[in-house]
Structures are given as structure tokens and as C-alpha cells.
Amino acid sequence: MKNILTVENVCKNYGNFTALNNVSISVPKGSVFGLLGPNGAGKTSLIRIINQITLPDSGTILLDGEPLKPHHVHQIGYLPEERGLYKSMKVGEQALYLAQLKGLSKTEAKKKLKYWFEKFEISDWWDKKIQELSKGMAQKVQFIVTVLHSPKLLIFDEPFTGFDPINANMIKDEILKLRDEGASIIFSTHRMESVEELCDNIALINKSNKILDGKLSDIKQEFKTNQFEVGLFSNDKDELLNQINSQYLTEKSNSAKLKDELRLIITLKNGDTSKDLIRFLNNKAQLNHFTEIIPSANDIFLKAVANNE
Amino acid sequence: MNKLKLIIKREFLAKVKNKSFIVMTVLSPLLMVGLMMLIIFLNEKNSEDVRTVAFVDESNLLASTFTDTETTKYIDLTALGIDEARMQTEGQYYGILYIPKSDSLVNLSKGIAFYSEDTPSLNLLGSIENKLEKKIRNLKIEQLHFDVDKIKATETTVEIATENFVGEKSSKIGSVLRMIAGGGFGYLIFMFIIIYGTSVMRSVIEEKTSRIIEVIISSVKPFQLMMGKILGNALAGVLQFIIWMISAGLLLFAITYIFGIDTAGSGTAMGQMNPEMVQQVQASSASELQLALQEIKNLPILTMFFSFIIYFIGGYLIYSSIYAAIGAAVDSETDTQQFMMPVLMPLIIAIYVGFSVIENPHGPIALAFSLFPLTSPIVMLMRIPFGVPWWQIVTSMFLLIITFIAIVWFAAKIYRVGILMYGKKPTYKELYKWLKY
């Protein structure tokens, strides 16, 4: 089986409101899958269906090739966006309780908790109550509880909220480590820079419909605009600009430039290749900088949503 | 099933470890003991006070009536005359009794007055009136040349022993006991439903506000969580009930022990009275106690016990699942008001109806409310000590179970949707919509 999770034609309605309309996604094994979309698009509805918190009106879901059944909750770890812990319960007791609800035995849970608590250097929190911890500290406990039972599939909904940059980085590394150890990860967020860093595949949901999915690199290829950023040196910059403008569509670049450098974003002509552009520029001036502009996840997100409106 | 056990355990421990639970459980029996001790103490203190009453008997016929008792002393001031006595003794005595001169026995009872600084105790006045009535009556009998002893011999007391057709004896004490037993059990159920129902609701709201709810229901079904919560709290309630019952038993033991010493103490006081009276007093109190014990034995205790358990479970489950649904529908406890009224209504009505029902336990109102499932746990329990036909108990339990299943089903639906809803207070219309999600 190549996919850890296959969602096929899932529909979900709340009264007259359609939360999901015929949504299908496939999450390849051992990868990080970005589930993206604006607020209220239906991401959380889909995640809740995968977690069997709610049932779909129609459609099928396969986990590792098997139709989703109640016992599968033990193979899924879920860190919801709206998350928290019992405030007046002790950290250790609480972690044990949640681990046992995920099917671990008490001794097994204790052993694993010890490992993670030592790893995160929080062993002395065991007998503290959650209300005595800071938000970031509680988030660490929450993360441990999510991954403790070594699930095949991990679902993180906005995992970095509540962490300072140092701890966010640590969590990111842990997520990647879990992936390397064989877990598959669904990652839902609005923070596009973390999508770039983490995701191998993405799906974009807007207004209850999936509007885009696939490998992030393929999608970038598809969304590329044939634009290049160039840096040029010339004695007469105005003359140079006129000459380029007569042939190509250009924009000013906002990125940092050297002294007396002309920085431009040039759109390739239809049928041209980057070779043609380099040859043209080389003849006119000293070419100092040449990169293709790769659309960021953010650009793709905005563009795809705008196209869908 | 295993998960349900885990949830029940957590909910039970969370409730039992709570400080307010410990305080409530331990402190309230202590408080009751303290209060009872205080009442007993004050009572004794009160009766230790000896009152001195002066009397001026111008008729010279009634002075022999006044013999000192444990609590009252009489002083004859007839020699002084009423005006002088009033002037001289102001503040010295509890009061002055004035019996004016009278031309005949018929008019003797008129014009008798009692002067005192404060309003005199009704008990004292009553006992003086009693004495005077007896004495004057005897005087009249003598005046008419009747033989007092013969007239005494004609006096008869009649006590009607009541018994139902099955052969169980009953008595006035019995019906009072039944009222106490029925009322007590009904009220206990009322209290437990409200206290533990609210506690279920709080626990649901806590899970919502701490945002742990979604973490948990990704591991267990919402229905499991709801039932675990309800059952865990019920167990805590049962524990509290058992602790209270045990401490009530100890309390009863302690009180009888204290009273045991007391009766011995008053026995010596009785020794100073004439032996005939002692016998009378002892005989009457013994028979009353025996009768009461007999009556307690005659109560359908087994039926009461089992029906308490069944009605408690049924009533508690119905109401606590409603409470759980309310907790799930709102974001904070302040938002619960609009939903609480309709829940409390039937309970309060049940208590009111119940207390009128114990005066007429077999009337049509009693029957109707002891069958209606939202009030039956309280009203039926209040009726049971008076003897209820089996078909009525069975019907009401049947209705209770059907209602319980229906309400838990509805509550679970609202709960399932509500726990994931944040932000706004839902209307009844929205709650109705949730049923269809």
C-alpha cells in the first residue's frame, strides 16, 4: 500500500450548510501532507471525520488500506487546533490517562512517557498541575500526549501556535524525525512558510471543495510564471531599461540590490527559453544575477483561492 | 468498555479528590452532630432553670394545689395581699398568680390573673391552668356530695388500634414515621439529583473551556465520555451517601448513648416523686418506644430500599444527562440559566406535590405524579412507605426506564454536537437542529 490514508468522495452537511463537497485526498506513506485552506473552508470538518469524531454523510475513508473502524483511533494521533488539558489534574496522571485512552497499557505508557519527558527535559513537571505551567510548557505536554502511542498517522492542526521560535523549531524537528521513523503526517496550517519547510504534498480546500492537490514541487512547476529576477550593471541604466522594456514585460524588484545595480523581474516571451533571455541580456550589460522566480506556497494559495472565487 | 472504566475512574477521582467534596462529606455530618448536641445542651440548660412563682389566694381554697416541682417553686404570699405583694416582689419572682375571693365555686374560676415582667411561658401557664381546673373540679364534686373515688372509677381511656386488611398494625406514630421516611427519601433524591446533576454539568463545561474535549473524543466516543462522566459522578454520590449513612448511624448510636445516661439521671429525680407516678411514666414511655420500634419494623423497608436505588438511578440518569446536554450547549456556567428553569421545574413541583401527597398518599394527584417519569422518583418514593399497589410501582418504573432511554438518546445527540461548538449561546431552535446533525 502506497497511501496511509485515502479519502474518497466525502460529503458532509450540517443542516443546510455544506461543510465538505465530494472531497478526495490521498496521503502517501512516510510523508508530510499539508492540508491548506482559508478559515471555514472545511479543513477541520475533514480532520474530524478522519478522527471519527463525526461521520461523513457519504464517501469512504481507508486507513492503510482498511476501511476506517473505531479501533483505528489507536493508530492516529491528533493535535487539535482547539486544544487544552485538564487544568487541575497533575501532568503525569493526565498524560497516563490520555495514553491509556489511546490503548496503551499503564506500564507501557509510563515507560514511553519517561522517555519523552527526559527528551524534552521536563521530568520534574510530573507532579505539577497544568494550571501551574505556562502556555508553552503545557503545549509541550500536549505534543507528547499526541505522539506518545507511536501512531501511524499524525494529524497536527496549527501545531506551532503557543510556542516561541526556539520551541517551535524543536517541535518542527521532532515532526520531521517522526516522519523519518516512518510516521505519516497531516499538517494543517495558515502559516505558509512552515508549509514550504515541511510539506511534501499538499491539498487546498476552499469553500467545501478541494481545488488543488499534489506534490508541492509539481504544483510549483504548474504555478510558475516564467518570471526571472535579474541583476544588471550598465553605464547607462535608463537606456538599458528602455531597451529591455521594448522587448520584455518587466517589473521593479523589491529585493536587496547592490550599488548601481539594476534589479528587474522579467517575464519570458512565449516560446522563449531562459537561454534566449540570458543571451539577450549578456549582449546589453554585465549580468550579475539570474534566478527563476518560484512561486511560494503563499502565492499559490492566494492565486488558487482567487481563481476559485 | 475498558475506556468507559477509565473515564469513570477519572471522573470519580476528580470529584472525590476535590476539596469541596471532602469538606461537604466530612463536615456536614459533623455539623449535624454539633447542631444536635447544641440543641440537647440548650434544652437541658433551659430545664435546669428553676422558676419561682408567688401566689395570692384570697379564696383560701386552692393553696394546696401548688406543690413544688423540679422546675417550678411556689411561694404563698396570701398574707401580704395582692397589692402589697405586687409592689414588694416586683422583679423577685417569675410571676405572681392572683386568685380573687369568690362567693361560690362556680365563680371561682373567674378573675384569676397572672402578673409577670415578661410574657409568661405557655407551658407554665398551661400546667397551672391544668392544676387549677382539676382542683376546682374536685372541689365542685365534693360540694355536690359525690364520691370522688367513684367518679374516678368511671373514667375510661379508649385507644383504637388500627390495622389494615393484610394484618399489618398501624398507628398514629406509624403514619408520622411513614411521613418522615417517605419525605426524607424523596428529599434525599431531590438533593442528590440537583447536586450531582450540576456537578456533571460543571465537569462538561470544564472540558469545553479547557479545550481538552476534542483531544478526548478523538480517542473515545462522545457517548462513552458522557456516560463515563455521569456514572463516575454517580459513584461519588453513592460514596457520599454511604459515608453519610454510616455517620448517621454513629450519630444515632451516640445520641441514644447520651440519652441513655440522661434517663438514668432523671431516674434519680423520679425517685423523689411518688412511686406510682414513676411507674406510670416509665410504662408510658416504654410502650411508646416499643410501638415506634414496632412501626419501624413494619415499614416496607426492603421495598423502600430497592425502590430508592432504582428510582435514584433512574431519576439521576434522566436529569444528569439533561444536565450534561446543557453543559455541552453552553460555554460557561453563567449561560446555563435559561436552560436550568425547565429542568428544575418538575423537580420542585415533585417536592411540593410530594409533601402534600404524604397527607393523602392514595389520591388521584398522588397517583398521577408518581407515574409521571420526571416526578415519579420523588413522589413515588414518598408514597411507598404507605403501601403502594404493585402495578403502580411497576408501571412507573417502566415509564421511568422508557423515558430514561429516550432522554439519554436526545441528550447524547445534543452533547455530541454541543461539545465542539464554541462562541455563541445556542437557542432552543438551534438545539432542535442539532438533533438532526
Side-chain angles (χ1 to χ4, degrees), chain A residues 224-252:
Chain A
K224 73 172 186 183
T225 47
N226 283 331
Q227 283 180 318
F228 293 85
E229 181 167 352
V230 299
L232 299 162
F233 283 109
S234 164
N235 292 332
D236 193 347
K237 281 204 289 188
D238 292 339
E239 174 57 22
L240 180 64
L241 192 59
N242 278 338
Q243 283 181 356
I244 297 172
N245 273 340
S246 65
Q247 297 278 334
Y248 293 95
L249 220 61
T250 65
E251 289 167 40
K252 261 203 178 134

PDB file of all heavy atoms in Angstrom, chain A residues 224-252:
ATOM      1  N   LYS A 224       4.305  28.098 -11.921  1.00  0.00           N
ATOM      2  CA  LYS A 224       5.390  29.049 -12.182  1.00  0.00           C
ATOM      3  C   LYS A 224       4.966  30.002 -13.294  1.00  0.00           C
ATOM      4  O   LYS A 224       4.178  29.671 -14.172  1.00  0.00           O
ATOM      5  CB  LYS A 224       6.685  28.318 -12.523  1.00  0.00           C
ATOM      6  CG  LYS A 224       6.712  27.691 -13.886  1.00  0.00           C
ATOM      7  CD  LYS A 224       8.103  27.191 -14.168  1.00  0.00           C
ATOM      8  CE  LYS A 224       8.131  26.689 -15.615  1.00  0.00           C
ATOM      9  NZ  LYS A 224       9.419  26.122 -15.968  1.00  0.00           N
ATOM     10  N   THR A 225       5.487  31.231 -13.204  1.00  0.00           N
ATOM     11  CA  THR A 225       5.000  32.295 -14.079  1.00  0.00           C
ATOM     12  C   THR A 225       5.997  32.660 -15.161  1.00  0.00           C
ATOM     13  O   THR A 225       5.821  33.642 -15.869  1.00  0.00           O
ATOM     14  CB  THR A 225       4.709  33.540 -13.232  1.00  0.00           C
ATOM     15  OG1 THR A 225       5.835  33.748 -12.370  1.00  0.00           O
ATOM     16  CG2 THR A 225       3.453  33.359 -12.417  1.00  0.00           C
ATOM     17  N   ASN A 226       7.085  31.832 -15.305  1.00  0.00           N
ATOM     18  CA  ASN A 226       8.140  32.141 -16.270  1.00  0.00           C
ATOM     19  C   ASN A 226       8.733  33.520 -16.042  1.00  0.00           C
ATOM     20  O   ASN A 226       9.006  34.260 -16.973  1.00  0.00           O
ATOM     21  CB  ASN A 226       7.618  32.045 -17.712  1.00  0.00           C
ATOM     22  CG  ASN A 226       7.494  30.599 -18.147  1.00  0.00           C
ATOM     23  OD1 ASN A 226       8.241  29.733 -17.664  1.00  0.00           O
ATOM     24  ND2 ASN A 226       6.548  30.341 -19.037  1.00  0.00           N
ATOM     25  N   GLN A 227       8.887  33.864 -14.778  1.00  0.00           N
ATOM     26  CA  GLN A 227       9.488  35.146 -14.444  1.00  0.00           C
ATOM     27  C   GLN A 227      10.879  34.912 -13.896  1.00  0.00           C
ATOM     28  O   GLN A 227      11.121  33.913 -13.211  1.00  0.00           O
ATOM     29  CB  GLN A 227       8.632  35.873 -13.410  1.00  0.00           C
ATOM     30  CG  GLN A 227       7.399  36.510 -14.026  1.00  0.00           C
ATOM     31  CD  GLN A 227       6.568  37.231 -12.992  1.00  0.00           C
ATOM     32  OE1 GLN A 227       6.381  36.731 -11.890  1.00  0.00           O
ATOM     33  NE2 GLN A 227       6.078  38.402 -13.351  1.00  0.00           N
ATOM     34  N   PHE A 228      11.777  35.837 -14.229  1.00  0.00           N
ATOM     35  CA  PHE A 228      13.151  35.739 -13.754  1.00  0.00           C
ATOM     36  C   PHE A 228      13.553  37.042 -13.106  1.00  0.00           C
ATOM     37  O   PHE A 228      13.193  38.117 -13.588  1.00  0.00           O
ATOM     38  CB  PHE A 228      14.110  35.425 -14.917  1.00  0.00           C
ATOM     39  CG  PHE A 228      13.879  34.045 -15.482  1.00  0.00           C
ATOM     40  CD1 PHE A 228      12.894  33.830 -16.446  1.00  0.00           C
ATOM     41  CD2 PHE A 228      14.638  32.965 -15.043  1.00  0.00           C
ATOM     42  CE1 PHE A 228      12.664  32.561 -16.948  1.00  0.00           C
ATOM     43  CE2 PHE A 228      14.418  31.702 -15.551  1.00  0.00           C
ATOM     44  CZ  PHE A 228      13.426  31.493 -16.500  1.00  0.00           C
ATOM     45  N   GLU A 229      14.296  36.920 -12.027  1.00  0.00           N
ATOM     46  CA  GLU A 229      14.841  38.121 -11.415  1.00  0.00           C
ATOM     47  C   GLU A 229      16.279  38.279 -11.888  1.00  0.00           C
ATOM     48  O   GLU A 229      17.056  37.322 -11.816  1.00  0.00           O
ATOM     49  CB  GLU A 229      14.780  38.035  -9.888  1.00  0.00           C
ATOM     50  CG  GLU A 229      15.319  39.294  -9.240  1.00  0.00           C
ATOM     51  CD  GLU A 229      15.001  39.398  -7.760  1.00  0.00           C
ATOM     52  OE1 GLU A 229      14.220  38.563  -7.244  1.00  0.00           O
ATOM     53  OE2 GLU A 229      15.540  40.313  -7.124  1.00  0.00           O
ATOM     54  N   VAL A 230      16.597  39.465 -12.370  1.00  0.00           N
ATOM     55  CA  VAL A 230      17.949  39.683 -12.892  1.00  0.00           C
ATOM     56  C   VAL A 230      18.579  40.891 -12.233  1.00  0.00           C
ATOM     57  O   VAL A 230      17.902  41.833 -11.813  1.00  0.00           O
ATOM     58  CB  VAL A 230      17.958  39.902 -14.431  1.00  0.00           C
ATOM     59  CG1 VAL A 230      17.411  38.672 -15.120  1.00  0.00           C
ATOM     60  CG2 VAL A 230      17.164  41.135 -14.800  1.00  0.00           C
ATOM     61  N   GLY A 231      19.925  40.845 -12.142  1.00  0.00           N
ATOM     62  CA  GLY A 231      20.677  42.000 -11.656  1.00  0.00           C
ATOM     63  C   GLY A 231      21.702  42.397 -12.704  1.00  0.00           C
ATOM     64  O   GLY A 231      22.463  41.555 -13.178  1.00  0.00           O
ATOM     65  N   LEU A 232      21.654  43.679 -13.136  1.00  0.00           N
ATOM     66  CA  LEU A 232      22.497  44.117 -14.259  1.00  0.00           C
ATOM     67  C   LEU A 232      23.309  45.343 -13.875  1.00  0.00           C
ATOM     68  O   LEU A 232      22.861  46.189 -13.099  1.00  0.00           O
ATOM     69  CB  LEU A 232      21.613  44.472 -15.460  1.00  0.00           C
ATOM     70  CG  LEU A 232      20.754  43.335 -16.029  1.00  0.00           C
ATOM     71  CD1 LEU A 232      19.643  43.890 -16.880  1.00  0.00           C
ATOM     72  CD2 LEU A 232      21.616  42.357 -16.819  1.00  0.00           C
ATOM     73  N   PHE A 233      24.529  45.437 -14.474  1.00  0.00           N
ATOM     74  CA  PHE A 233      25.343  46.648 -14.341  1.00  0.00           C
ATOM     75  C   PHE A 233      25.539  47.257 -15.723  1.00  0.00           C
ATOM     76  O   PHE A 233      25.855  46.554 -16.672  1.00  0.00           O
ATOM     77  CB  PHE A 233      26.705  46.325 -13.728  1.00  0.00           C
ATOM     78  CG  PHE A 233      26.632  46.106 -12.240  1.00  0.00           C
ATOM     79  CD1 PHE A 233      26.801  44.851 -11.703  1.00  0.00           C
ATOM     80  CD2 PHE A 233      26.376  47.193 -11.392  1.00  0.00           C
ATOM     81  CE1 PHE A 233      26.725  44.662 -10.338  1.00  0.00           C
ATOM     82  CE2 PHE A 233      26.310  46.998 -10.034  1.00  0.00           C
ATOM     83  CZ  PHE A 233      26.474  45.744  -9.492  1.00  0.00           C
ATOM     84  N   SER A 234      25.307  48.565 -15.769  1.00  0.00           N
ATOM     85  CA  SER A 234      25.491  49.229 -17.057  1.00  0.00           C
ATOM     86  C   SER A 234      25.831  50.685 -16.779  1.00  0.00           C
ATOM     87  O   SER A 234      25.448  51.234 -15.739  1.00  0.00           O
ATOM     88  CB  SER A 234      24.216  49.133 -17.882  1.00  0.00           C
ATOM     89  OG  SER A 234      24.269  50.077 -18.937  1.00  0.00           O
ATOM     90  N   ASN A 235      26.540  51.332 -17.715  1.00  0.00           N
ATOM     91  CA  ASN A 235      26.858  52.745 -17.537  1.00  0.00           C
ATOM     92  C   ASN A 235      25.620  53.600 -17.687  1.00  0.00           C
ATOM     93  O   ASN A 235      25.459  54.600 -16.993  1.00  0.00           O
ATOM     94  CB  ASN A 235      27.924  53.185 -18.550  1.00  0.00           C
ATOM     95  CG  ASN A 235      29.254  52.525 -18.235  1.00  0.00           C
ATOM     96  OD1 ASN A 235      29.518  52.204 -17.060  1.00  0.00           O
ATOM     97  ND2 ASN A 235      30.060  52.306 -19.262  1.00  0.00           N
ATOM     98  N   ASP A 236      24.764  53.189 -18.565  1.00  0.00           N
ATOM     99  CA  ASP A 236      23.542  53.968 -18.801  1.00  0.00           C
ATOM    100  C   ASP A 236      22.319  53.127 -18.448  1.00  0.00           C
ATOM    101  O   ASP A 236      21.808  52.380 -19.261  1.00  0.00           O
ATOM    102  CB  ASP A 236      23.493  54.411 -20.263  1.00  0.00           C
ATOM    103  CG  ASP A 236      22.426  55.475 -20.455  1.00  0.00           C
ATOM    104  OD1 ASP A 236      21.600  55.648 -19.503  1.00  0.00           O
ATOM    105  OD2 ASP A 236      22.406  56.094 -21.521  1.00  0.00           O
ATOM    106  N   LYS A 237      21.864  53.231 -17.204  1.00  0.00           N
ATOM    107  CA  LYS A 237      20.781  52.363 -16.740  1.00  0.00           C
ATOM    108  C   LYS A 237      19.464  52.674 -17.444  1.00  0.00           C
ATOM    109  O   LYS A 237      18.691  51.779 -17.764  1.00  0.00           O
ATOM    110  CB  LYS A 237      20.609  52.525 -15.212  1.00  0.00           C
ATOM    111  CG  LYS A 237      21.658  51.744 -14.438  1.00  0.00           C
ATOM    112  CD  LYS A 237      21.201  51.403 -13.043  1.00  0.00           C
ATOM    113  CE  LYS A 237      21.169  52.643 -12.163  1.00  0.00           C
ATOM    114  NZ  LYS A 237      20.898  52.285 -10.761  1.00  0.00           N
ATOM    115  N   ASP A 238      19.214  53.950 -17.682  1.00  0.00           N
ATOM    116  CA  ASP A 238      17.942  54.333 -18.312  1.00  0.00           C
ATOM    117  C   ASP A 238      17.841  53.772 -19.721  1.00  0.00           C
ATOM    118  O   ASP A 238      16.806  53.232 -20.116  1.00  0.00           O
ATOM    119  CB  ASP A 238      17.807  55.856 -18.354  1.00  0.00           C
ATOM    120  CG  ASP A 238      17.648  56.417 -16.948  1.00  0.00           C
ATOM    121  OD1 ASP A 238      17.232  55.601 -16.062  1.00  0.00           O
ATOM    122  OD2 ASP A 238      17.941  57.595 -16.733  1.00  0.00           O
ATOM    123  N   GLU A 239      18.941  53.867 -20.455  1.00  0.00           N
ATOM    124  CA  GLU A 239      18.972  53.360 -21.825  1.00  0.00           C
ATOM    125  C   GLU A 239      18.751  51.850 -21.823  1.00  0.00           C
ATOM    126  O   GLU A 239      17.969  51.318 -22.612  1.00  0.00           O
ATOM    127  CB  GLU A 239      20.338  53.722 -22.461  1.00  0.00           C
ATOM    128  CG  GLU A 239      20.593  53.134 -23.847  1.00  0.00           C
ATOM    129  CD  GLU A 239      19.526  53.530 -24.878  1.00  0.00           C
ATOM    130  OE1 GLU A 239      18.841  54.560 -24.673  1.00  0.00           O
ATOM    131  OE2 GLU A 239      19.344  52.788 -25.852  1.00  0.00           O
ATOM    132  N   LEU A 240      19.429  51.200 -20.876  1.00  0.00           N
ATOM    133  CA  LEU A 240      19.300  49.736 -20.748  1.00  0.00           C
ATOM    134  C   LEU A 240      17.854  49.347 -20.467  1.00  0.00           C
ATOM    135  O   LEU A 240      17.296  48.442 -21.092  1.00  0.00           O
ATOM    136  CB  LEU A 240      20.212  49.239 -19.620  1.00  0.00           C
ATOM    137  CG  LEU A 240      20.191  47.729 -19.357  1.00  0.00           C
ATOM    138  CD1 LEU A 240      20.730  46.971 -20.570  1.00  0.00           C
ATOM    139  CD2 LEU A 240      21.011  47.386 -18.127  1.00  0.00           C
ATOM    140  N   LEU A 241      17.239  50.065 -19.530  1.00  0.00           N
ATOM    141  CA  LEU A 241      15.854  49.763 -19.168  1.00  0.00           C
ATOM    142  C   LEU A 241      14.930  49.931 -20.370  1.00  0.00           C
ATOM    143  O   LEU A 241      14.054  49.099 -20.617  1.00  0.00           O
ATOM    144  CB  LEU A 241      15.429  50.681 -18.011  1.00  0.00           C
ATOM    145  CG  LEU A 241      14.120  50.322 -17.315  1.00  0.00           C
ATOM    146  CD1 LEU A 241      14.175  48.920 -16.725  1.00  0.00           C
ATOM    147  CD2 LEU A 241      13.810  51.340 -16.233  1.00  0.00           C
ATOM    148  N   ASN A 242      15.169  50.985 -21.129  1.00  0.00           N
ATOM    149  CA  ASN A 242      14.351  51.212 -22.336  1.00  0.00           C
ATOM    150  C   ASN A 242      14.476  50.066 -23.314  1.00  0.00           C
ATOM    151  O   ASN A 242      13.484  49.593 -23.878  1.00  0.00           O
ATOM    152  CB  ASN A 242      14.786  52.508 -23.020  1.00  0.00           C
ATOM    153  CG  ASN A 242      14.123  53.704 -22.345  1.00  0.00           C
ATOM    154  OD1 ASN A 242      13.081  53.535 -21.701  1.00  0.00           O
ATOM    155  ND2 ASN A 242      14.733  54.864 -22.481  1.00  0.00           N
ATOM    156  N   GLN A 243      15.713  49.627 -23.489  1.00  0.00           N
ATOM    157  CA  GLN A 243      15.946  48.541 -24.452  1.00  0.00           C
ATOM    158  C   GLN A 243      15.251  47.245 -24.007  1.00  0.00           C
ATOM    159  O   GLN A 243      14.657  46.554 -24.821  1.00  0.00           O
ATOM    160  CB  GLN A 243      17.447  48.299 -24.584  1.00  0.00           C
ATOM    161  CG  GLN A 243      18.129  49.351 -25.434  1.00  0.00           C
ATOM    162  CD  GLN A 243      19.608  49.080 -25.574  1.00  0.00           C
ATOM    163  OE1 GLN A 243      20.143  48.136 -24.976  1.00  0.00           O
ATOM    164  NE2 GLN A 243      20.279  49.895 -26.389  1.00  0.00           N
ATOM    165  N   ILE A 244      15.330  46.948 -22.687  1.00  0.00           N
ATOM    166  CA  ILE A 244      14.686  45.709 -22.206  1.00  0.00           C
ATOM    167  C   ILE A 244      13.169  45.841 -22.314  1.00  0.00           C
ATOM    168  O   ILE A 244      12.476  44.923 -22.757  1.00  0.00           O
ATOM    169  CB  ILE A 244      15.105  45.402 -20.752  1.00  0.00           C
ATOM    170  CG1 ILE A 244      16.616  45.158 -20.669  1.00  0.00           C
ATOM    171  CG2 ILE A 244      14.363  44.160 -20.224  1.00  0.00           C
ATOM    172  CD1 ILE A 244      17.151  45.046 -19.270  1.00  0.00           C
ATOM    173  N   ASN A 245      12.662  47.002 -21.909  1.00  0.00           N
ATOM    174  CA  ASN A 245      11.206  47.213 -21.928  1.00  0.00           C
ATOM    175  C   ASN A 245      10.625  47.073 -23.327  1.00  0.00           C
ATOM    176  O   ASN A 245       9.469  46.695 -23.491  1.00  0.00           O
ATOM    177  CB  ASN A 245      10.870  48.590 -21.374  1.00  0.00           C
ATOM    178  CG  ASN A 245      10.730  48.557 -19.854  1.00  0.00           C
ATOM    179  OD1 ASN A 245      10.526  47.476 -19.291  1.00  0.00           O
ATOM    180  ND2 ASN A 245      10.851  49.700 -19.221  1.00  0.00           N
ATOM    181  N   SER A 246      11.438  47.392 -24.341  1.00  0.00           N
ATOM    182  CA  SER A 246      10.922  47.289 -25.711  1.00  0.00           C
ATOM    183  C   SER A 246      10.718  45.841 -26.115  1.00  0.00           C
ATOM    184  O   SER A 246       9.961  45.542 -27.018  1.00  0.00           O
ATOM    185  CB  SER A 246      11.880  47.977 -26.678  1.00  0.00           C
ATOM    186  OG  SER A 246      13.120  47.273 -26.675  1.00  0.00           O
ATOM    187  N   GLN A 247      11.420  44.920 -25.447  1.00  0.00           N
ATOM    188  CA  GLN A 247      11.318  43.506 -25.805  1.00  0.00           C
ATOM    189  C   GLN A 247      10.480  42.689 -24.819  1.00  0.00           C
ATOM    190  O   GLN A 247       9.773  41.784 -25.216  1.00  0.00           O
ATOM    191  CB  GLN A 247      12.730  42.893 -25.843  1.00  0.00           C
ATOM    192  CG  GLN A 247      13.643  43.483 -26.881  1.00  0.00           C
ATOM    193  CD  GLN A 247      13.404  42.883 -28.242  1.00  0.00           C
ATOM    194  OE1 GLN A 247      12.939  41.751 -28.358  1.00  0.00           O
ATOM    195  NE2 GLN A 247      13.679  43.644 -29.310  1.00  0.00           N
ATOM    196  N   TYR A 248      10.596  43.011 -23.540  1.00  0.00           N
ATOM    197  CA  TYR A 248      10.010  42.155 -22.494  1.00  0.00           C
ATOM    198  C   TYR A 248       9.108  42.940 -21.550  1.00  0.00           C
ATOM    199  O   TYR A 248       9.227  44.166 -21.436  1.00  0.00           O
ATOM    200  CB  TYR A 248      11.110  41.498 -21.647  1.00  0.00           C
ATOM    201  CG  TYR A 248      11.955  40.502 -22.402  1.00  0.00           C
ATOM    202  CD1 TYR A 248      13.155  40.881 -22.970  1.00  0.00           C
ATOM    203  CD2 TYR A 248      11.528  39.177 -22.527  1.00  0.00           C
ATOM    204  CE1 TYR A 248      13.932  39.981 -23.662  1.00  0.00           C
ATOM    205  CE2 TYR A 248      12.308  38.273 -23.212  1.00  0.00           C
ATOM    206  CZ  TYR A 248      13.498  38.667 -23.775  1.00  0.00           C
ATOM    207  OH  TYR A 248      14.267  37.770 -24.455  1.00  0.00           O
ATOM    208  N   LEU A 249       8.235  42.187 -20.867  1.00  0.00           N
ATOM    209  CA  LEU A 249       7.425  42.740 -19.785  1.00  0.00           C
ATOM    210  C   LEU A 249       8.277  42.774 -18.515  1.00  0.00           C
ATOM    211  O   LEU A 249       8.828  41.758 -18.121  1.00  0.00           O
ATOM    212  CB  LEU A 249       6.219  41.817 -19.554  1.00  0.00           C
ATOM    213  CG  LEU A 249       4.885  42.497 -19.278  1.00  0.00           C
ATOM    214  CD1 LEU A 249       4.491  43.368 -20.472  1.00  0.00           C
ATOM    215  CD2 LEU A 249       3.829  41.448 -19.014  1.00  0.00           C
ATOM    216  N   THR A 250       8.395  43.911 -17.879  1.00  0.00           N
ATOM    217  CA  THR A 250       9.238  43.969 -16.673  1.00  0.00           C
ATOM    218  C   THR A 250       8.496  44.585 -15.487  1.00  0.00           C
ATOM    219  O   THR A 250       7.508  45.294 -15.656  1.00  0.00           O
ATOM    220  CB  THR A 250      10.512  44.812 -16.914  1.00  0.00           C
ATOM    221  OG1 THR A 250      10.092  46.154 -17.148  1.00  0.00           O
ATOM    222  CG2 THR A 250      11.316  44.303 -18.063  1.00  0.00           C
ATOM    223  N   GLU A 251       9.015  44.235 -14.331  1.00  0.00           N
ATOM    224  CA  GLU A 251       8.529  44.849 -13.083  1.00  0.00           C
ATOM    225  C   GLU A 251       9.741  45.231 -12.281  1.00  0.00           C
ATOM    226  O   GLU A 251      10.801  44.641 -12.440  1.00  0.00           O
ATOM    227  CB  GLU A 251       7.738  43.844 -12.237  1.00  0.00           C
ATOM    228  CG  GLU A 251       6.394  43.449 -12.766  1.00  0.00           C
ATOM    229  CD  GLU A 251       5.870  42.231 -12.006  1.00  0.00           C
ATOM    230  OE1 GLU A 251       6.056  42.170 -10.768  1.00  0.00           O
ATOM    231  OE2 GLU A 251       5.311  41.333 -12.662  1.00  0.00           O
ATOM    232  N   LYS A 252       9.543  46.187 -11.389  1.00  0.00           N
ATOM    233  CA  LYS A 252      10.626  46.513 -10.466  1.00  0.00           C
ATOM    234  C   LYS A 252      10.729  45.399  -9.426  1.00  0.00           C
ATOM    235  O   LYS A 252       9.723  44.827  -9.023  1.00  0.00           O
ATOM    236  CB  LYS A 252      10.316  47.819  -9.743  1.00  0.00           C
ATOM    237  CG  LYS A 252      11.029  49.006 -10.348  1.00  0.00           C
ATOM    238  CD  LYS A 252      11.162  50.123  -9.313  1.00  0.00           C
ATOM    239  CE  LYS A 252      11.911  51.276  -9.919  1.00  0.00           C
ATOM    240  NZ  LYS A 252      11.250  52.558  -9.628  1.00  0.00           N
TER     241      LYS A 252
END
